[in-house]
Amino acid sequence: MASENIPKAILFDVGGVLVLSPFQAIVDYENKHKIPKDWINYAISRGAPNGHWQRLERGEIKLDAAFFTGFNEDLRNPELWRLYHESFRSGKKKLKDMANPTQLGDPVSLKAETANSTPTGDDRGAQSSSQRELKPTESSRDSEKPSLSKLAKDSTIGDPTSLSAEEVVIPPQSNTRTPSPPPSHTGPDVSNSDPSTSLPPIPTIDAESLFWSMMSAARTPDPYLSPALHTLSKHHKPTFILGALTNTIIFPPPHPYSQPHPIDPKPHFDIYISSSHVGLRKPDPAIYKLAISELDRFDRERGGEGVGAADVVFLDDIGENLRVAREVGMRTVKVMMGKTWRAVKELEGIVRVELMDEKTRRAKL
């Protein structure tokens, strides 16, 4: 698609784009509990493709007590802990580059439509305060989320895999793993007896608490991109086909998060590709091809000439997801945490439509 052409379809990620990013919740957890910087993101991302997080987003396993046990083991992987420190000491790669979601392959990318951060100073002057959800107090937040350990014992919990997720071939895996004991604070690195390479103990992380802090953030819409979607949906259909391509998590039916949310962006979309329902997740090229196929089908059913990859602009907050989108032929817009208004400005230039109100435009531009 030539740069001057206006796209037929706009494809949005959800978490970190239309709702606030879960990455801030990870940063907050590390700061609060004195966890080494970027360790959590590093451990989750390096668990791909078959870490518990990735399998949950593909709908292969349930969100239950067994998931939290496995997720906790992933966060205490001794080999990854060794590699994390080895890379840091080598000086060949800065940790911020190793675990930064803009440069690594789809690390956390929650997209469960959920996170626990507030807009930064750059995000002041949001377009409509009515579009922000009032955050519950800590006590009320806890009361609205029953323990998943308890829910896991409830026979009413449904199988989170659905649609084509049931067709995914899952490699056989043992249901039990014995985690390796954390290395002693003064013990030598298993690969080097040099005392200068000794490792500190692997941090203790409450995986369930971390998970829910990440989930709660995406209950709040982004102050710039969410209004931009509303504007496109209200005033610029059918000029543009609007779609979502998002990595998701299916909550068990008894949980409040399994119910439709007042800020759910889904009604604004013509097509909605959810990783946990189709058994694929970004950055797998197959899920991008599926999204293009669905956009094409929608356009042809309404009498259009169809949609190809070159007719799509895709917005995401993760560099690897955008790289694969470009490889399949899409145009991309990078969404930066804390600076999401810049993505709106770039999108305006591509679709040639004003998506900010005057107050925001004056404050930002």
Side-chain angles (χ1 to χ4, degrees):
M1 177 171 59
S3 60
E4 65 271 11
N5 290 346
I6 297 176
K8 293 181 181 180
I10 307 171
L11 193 61
F12 291 86
D13 180 24
V14 178
V17 175
L18 296 174
V19 296
L20 299 186
S21 173
F23 291 114
Q24 185 60 51
I26 293 177
V27 172
D28 293 343
Y29 187 95
E30 288 180 339
N31 290 338
K32 179 179 180 180
H33 298 281
K34 296 181 172 56
I35 306 295
K37 177 177 167 52
D38 295 326
W39 161 242
I40 292 174
N41 197 28
Y42 183 90
I44 295 174
S45 64
R46 295 304 171 95
N50 290 315
H52 285 78
W53 190 276
Q54 289 81 11
R55 294 175 64 205
L56 184 69
E57 286 192 331
R58 290 194 299 264
E60 296 171 358
I61 58 176
K62 299 178 182 180
L63 178 58
D64 57 14
F67 163 74
F68 287 117
T69 298
F71 185 32
N72 186 67
E73 291 176 6
D74 291 345
L75 295 173
R76 291 188 58 79
N77 184 311
E79 178 62 12
L80 289 182
W81 182 242
R82 182 184 67 80
L83 292 172
Y84 168 86
H85 280 275
E86 206 171 69
S87 300
F88 176 75
R89 283 194 300 267
S90 73
K92 294 178 181 178
K93 249 187 186 304
K94 295 181 180 179
L95 280 179
K96 69 180 180 63
D97 296 328
M98 292 162 43
N100 191 314
T102 68
Q103 299 184 35
L104 262 189
D106 200 15
V108 181
S109 64
L110 244 206
K111 313 340 179 206
E113 285 62 279
T114 35
N116 195 13
S117 58
T118 56
T120 67
D122 288 331
D123 281 339
R124 294 192 186 113
Q127 302 198 36
S128 172
S129 59
S130 65
Q131 289 172 323
R132 298 193 193 186
E133 181 189 55
L134 294 177
K135 296 193 175 182
T137 62
E138 203 62 35
S139 59
S140 65
R141 182 178 295 155
D142 290 341
S143 66
E144 76 170 10
K145 294 177 290 195
S147 166
L148 259 290
S149 301
K150 179 179 179 182
L151 289 177
K153 301 174 184 177
D154 191 330
S155 61
T156 62
I157 295 180
D159 185 346
T161 59
S162 57
L163 302 182
S164 60
E166 298 175 359
E167 302 171 2
V168 177
V169 178
I170 306 170
Q173 298 188 17
S174 170
N175 290 328
T176 59
R177 288 193 291 168
T178 302
S180 301
S184 148
H185 182 68
T186 57
D189 187 328
V190 294
S191 64
N192 195 325
S193 59
D194 185 344
S196 67
T197 63
S198 61
L199 298 178
I202 303 176
T204 297
I205 296 171
D206 183 337
E208 188 166 355
S209 174
L210 170 66
F211 177 88
W212 288 117
S213 69
M214 294 166 72
M215 291 296 98
S216 64
R219 309 295 283 180
T220 304
D222 181 83
Y224 303 104
L225 280 160
S226 181
L229 172 64
H230 294 178
T231 297
L232 286 166
S233 175
K234 183 176 181 181
H235 300 294
H236 299 284
K237 280 187 175 182
T239 303
F240 301 107
I241 304 171
L242 302 179
L245 176 58
T246 178
N247 288 349
T248 58
I249 290 169
I250 298 177
F251 297 95
H255 197 275
Y257 284 3
S258 69
Q259 303 303 313
H261 193 273
I263 64 165
D264 186 0
K266 192 177 294 186
H268 296 286
F269 294 118
D270 299 307
I271 69 130
Y272 194 95
I273 306 297
S274 160
S275 68
S276 56
H277 290 85
V278 301
L280 300 165
R281 71 187 290 275
K282 295 175 295 181
D284 186 339
I287 198 170
Y288 297 85
K289 294 173 183 177
L290 174 62
I292 295 166
S293 174
E294 288 298 299
L295 290 167
D296 179 68
R297 177 192 58 78
F298 178 86
D299 190 45
R300 291 183 186 278
E301 287 181 352
R302 68 176 189 171
E305 297 179 353
V307 171
D311 301 312
V312 181
V313 59
F314 176 53
L315 291 86
D316 202 294
D317 60 323
I318 294 175
E320 181 69 4
N321 293 348
L322 295 168
R323 180 186 66 79
V324 176
R326 288 191 294 272
E327 287 179 354
V328 300
M330 297 180 185
R331 191 190 306 193
T332 61
V333 173
K334 175 64 190 297
V335 179
M336 298 290 292
M337 185 170 68
K339 296 181 170 114
T340 57
W341 61 271
R342 292 183 178 178
V344 177
K345 180 183 177 184
E346 184 175 352
L347 183 61
E348 285 183 326
I350 293 172
V351 300
R352 303 178 194 175
V353 168
E354 290 191 358
L355 300 173
M356 292 186 193
D357 63 23
E358 282 306 311
K359 179 180 177 182
T360 304
R361 191 174 300 281
R362 286 194 301 269
K364 291 301 178 186
L365 307 180

